[in-house]
Amino acid sequence: MADQEVIKHTKKVYQLWKDGEPSWWHKLKEFLLEIFIIVFAVSISIWFHDLSEKRHKQHDVDEFLNGLKTDLQRDIIELESDRKGFVNTTKAIAYINGIPFQGKLNTDSVRYYGAWFYNEVGFMPNDGRFEGFKSSGKIGDIEDKELQNDIMDLYQEDISSLLSSTTFFSERKGRLVDFLSKNIKQQTDSTSNLKSILVSDEARNICRNLFFTSEIINRYDICIAKSKKIIEAIDRE
């Protein structure tokens, strides 16, 4: 509509200068009026276009944030579950490392902690939506800059640090699992030699290298807290 108005008034300006009847002063006033109308029409057209573009961007942002909230709620459930797994793994390792030289393991304790030596804990973030939104260059459309920064920090720093440390831990812990798998033997009384293997020098040396679980648990806490903070910010939006 604005384009049609611009064309109409542009033609009128052209006709004014071709018309030999009106005085020069009258032509100038009409010319300035038509120019003002053209500028106003163009400005209105640009304003409506910018408003439409802004609404479209905000719609995309709203959809992203609503979806991100769902992703984070699912991630928090897994993060909290994985954190508990590392807490129990820490207790199991601490129990083995706390046995004195030539000490013996308690049967009930080994039965209780034994499963955690084999338990694999590894967080798998629901980050597909974030990666897609980031790669499209739309992250900058989030008007709340603190929220924008928190989202970027969570996925590019906090979760990245967590995955790096858990992967490294799993690789080291895998040595213990391999050692146990190769050396466990069933006894005639339907038990195994697990207790004696766990206090062997090799098992102890491996467990001593699994000392940084507190750092991993701390990184889980950071990711959980940051995820909850982002959800609260989305709710406010």
Side-chain angles (χ1 to χ4, degrees):
M1 191 70 179
D3 291 342
Q4 294 175 354
E5 288 296 314
V6 170
I7 294 171
K8 182 176 75 174
H9 288 282
T10 301
K11 288 181 177 179
K12 194 169 182 181
V13 168
Y14 178 72
Q15 290 171 354
L16 274 171
W17 289 109
K18 286 184 65 178
D19 190 354
E21 293 297 324
S23 66
W24 181 87
W25 177 244
H26 178 74
K27 282 185 178 182
L28 180 61
K29 288 193 294 183
E30 288 293 322
F31 176 77
L32 293 175
L33 177 61
E34 295 301 326
I35 291 297
F36 172 78
I37 293 173
I38 291 171
V39 171
F40 180 76
V42 170
S43 299
I44 288 294
S45 176
I46 293 172
W47 182 79
F48 273 113
H49 179 271
D50 289 346
L51 182 62
S52 176
E53 186 71 19
K54 185 176 181 180
R55 285 177 176 172
H56 179 71
K57 287 181 178 180
Q58 190 58 47
H59 174 73
D60 289 345
V61 168
D62 290 344
E63 281 198 339
F64 167 69
L65 292 179
N66 286 328
L68 184 69
K69 177 181 175 180
T70 301
D71 292 340
L72 292 177
Q73 287 171 333
R74 292 172 180 168
D75 283 347
I76 288 172
I77 293 173
E78 185 178 349
L79 285 165
E80 291 178 339
S81 176
D82 288 356
R83 183 188 183 280
K84 290 179 181 178
F86 268 99
V87 169
N88 288 316
T89 300
T90 301
K91 292 177 181 178
I93 293 169
Y95 173 68
I96 299 299
N97 288 336
I99 299 297
F101 179 68
Q102 292 185 336
K104 293 184 179 181
L105 299 178
N106 179 273
T107 301
D108 290 337
S109 296
V110 171
R111 187 179 297 114
Y112 177 77
Y113 291 123
W116 297 105
F117 292 116
Y118 294 94
N119 184 45
E120 279 293 328
V121 179
F123 176 55
M124 296 183 65
N126 293 288
D127 58 357
R129 193 187 313 273
F130 164 76
E131 292 296 342
F133 201 71
K134 183 189 72 172
S135 63
S136 67
K138 296 180 180 180
I139 285 290
D141 294 337
I142 300 174
E143 294 181 353
D144 186 335
K145 297 308 176 186
E146 182 178 356
L147 173 58
Q148 181 188 138
N149 290 333
D150 283 341
I151 293 172
M152 294 294 288
D153 288 346
L154 173 64
Y155 284 100
Q156 296 193 319
E157 294 183 18
D158 300 332
I159 291 179
S160 179
S161 296
L162 173 63
L163 295 180
S164 176
S165 59
T166 53
T167 298
F168 184 60
F169 178 85
S170 295
E171 290 173 354
R172 287 196 170 188
K173 185 183 173 187
R175 291 174 54 198
L176 178 63
V177 174
D178 291 341
F179 174 73
L180 296 178
S181 299
K182 291 176 182 177
N183 292 278
I184 288 181
K185 293 181 176 60
Q186 294 298 316
Q187 311 286 354
T188 55
D189 59 354
S190 298
T191 60
S192 70
N193 61 340
L194 178 60
K195 288 198 298 182
S196 61
I197 292 175
L198 285 173
V199 292
S200 67
D201 289 342
E202 185 167 353
R204 284 173 178 269
N205 289 334
I206 295 173
C207 287
R208 289 192 187 98
N209 287 323
L210 299 174
F211 61 87
F212 53 94
T213 50
S214 59
E215 176 187 307
I216 295 174
I217 292 171
N218 181 60
R219 289 181 176 178
Y220 270 105
D221 290 337
I222 290 172
C223 289
I224 292 169
K226 184 69 67 65
S227 297
K228 289 181 177 179
K229 181 184 178 184
I230 291 171
I231 290 174
E232 289 174 0
I234 292 173
D235 288 339
R236 288 196 301 271
E237 286 288 306

